Amino acid sequence: MSHCLTCVSLSQCQTCDQSNGYFLNSNTNLCELCVLSNCLICASLSQCQNCDQSNGYFLNSNTNLCESCILSHCLTCASLSQCQLCDQSNGYFLNSNTNLCELCILNNCLTCASLSQCQTCDQSNGYFLNSNTNLCELCNLSNCLTCASFSQCQICDNSNGYFLNSNTNLCEQCVLSHCLTCTNLLQCQICDQPNNYFLNSNTNLCELCTLN
């Protein structure tokens, strides 16, 4: 049978080729092409099952037909009056009270969780999310690139020889001889290979390669 992937009998289909737009007509048990506007998968001749969300269409639960999402800054509509996914890349978030998109205006916040709470801060410019207030604060710990809190660093300035002390969660300068990057106060991670030093796997310290 035409466009049937699995048959029940010689005259009845069980599974149609949905990938190419065909659905099972429950009245005839034959496959028919889905011709409903902006519908990817039909449930019947007059009802859609999946709409073309990538092009801004959503399934109207009252009519079971596809409609264009026209809510401001909404990428995917849940209904004519409710958004499901907002344009976060341009700073909009879903207001859970109104189910509409609003611009995130919290200072140094890239993605808002609500009007008063941030979800993602501008780490590239040194801001971190304060877990108590859910607002962004400037990271001012010495030689710390990304803070976890006011008193704890997450990423230290390795390029200038600082590493994260796992006991204090603060940055310390790597002072091990010929070590470029420390793991801790007593162990090196990367040695000065351009000057012929290698990492001794037994001591985790740098030693000069003397082999010719």
Side-chain angles (χ1 to χ4, degrees):
M1 282 180 284
S2 182
H3 307 290
C4 181
L5 300 180
T6 308
C7 288
V8 176
S9 67
L10 291 172
S11 60
Q12 292 181 320
C13 185
Q14 182 178 348
T15 308
C16 295
D17 184 9
Q18 285 188 337
S19 64
N20 285 309
Y22 290 87
F23 72 97
L24 184 65
N25 185 321
S26 58
N27 294 320
T28 63
N29 288 308
L30 296 175
C31 300
E32 296 201 30
L33 184 63
C34 179
V35 294
L36 296 176
S37 183
N38 304 299
C39 181
L40 299 180
I41 300 175
C42 282
S44 68
L45 289 169
S46 60
Q47 293 181 321
C48 186
Q49 182 177 321
N50 288 344
C51 295
D52 185 6
Q53 287 188 338
S54 63
N55 284 310
Y57 293 89
F58 72 98
L59 185 64
N60 186 321
S61 58
N62 294 318
T63 63
N64 287 307
L65 295 175
C66 301
E67 298 203 29
S68 180
C69 179
I70 57 174
L71 296 177
S72 183
H73 306 291
C74 181
L75 299 180
T76 305
C77 284
S79 69
L80 289 169
S81 60
Q82 294 181 320
C83 185
Q84 183 176 321
L85 180 65
C86 295
D87 184 8
Q88 287 188 337
S89 64
N90 285 309
Y92 290 86
F93 71 98
L94 184 65
N95 185 322
S96 59
N97 294 319
T98 62
N99 287 306
L100 296 174
C101 301
E102 297 201 30
L103 184 63
C104 178
I105 56 173
L106 297 176
N107 286 337
N108 305 298
C109 181
L110 299 181
T111 308
C112 282
S114 68
L115 289 169
S116 59
Q117 294 181 318
C118 186
Q119 183 177 320
T120 308
C121 294
D122 185 7
Q123 287 188 339
S124 64
N125 284 310
Y127 291 88
F128 71 97
L129 185 65
N130 185 325
S131 58
N132 294 319
T133 62
N134 287 307
L135 295 174
C136 300
E137 308 261 1
L138 184 63
C139 176
N140 53 22
L141 294 176
S142 182
N143 303 299
C144 180
L145 300 181
T146 305
C147 284
S149 69
F150 282 115
S151 59
Q152 293 181 320
C153 186
Q154 185 175 326
I155 301 174
C156 295
D157 185 6
N158 283 336
S159 64
N160 284 310
Y162 291 88
F163 70 97
L164 184 65
N165 185 320
S166 58
N167 293 319
T168 63
N169 287 306
L170 296 174
C171 300
E172 297 200 28
Q173 190 163 25
C174 179
V175 293
L176 295 176
S177 182
H178 306 291
C179 181
L180 300 181
T181 305
C182 285
T183 301
N184 55 42
L185 289 169
L186 302 174
Q187 294 178 318
C188 185
Q189 183 178 331
I190 300 174
C191 294
D192 184 8
Q193 287 185 340
N195 287 309
N196 222 23
Y197 287 87
F198 72 97
L199 184 66
N200 185 319
S201 59
N202 293 319
T203 63
N204 287 304
L205 296 174
C206 301
E207 296 194 24
L208 182 64
C209 179
T210 57
L211 297 177
N212 293 323

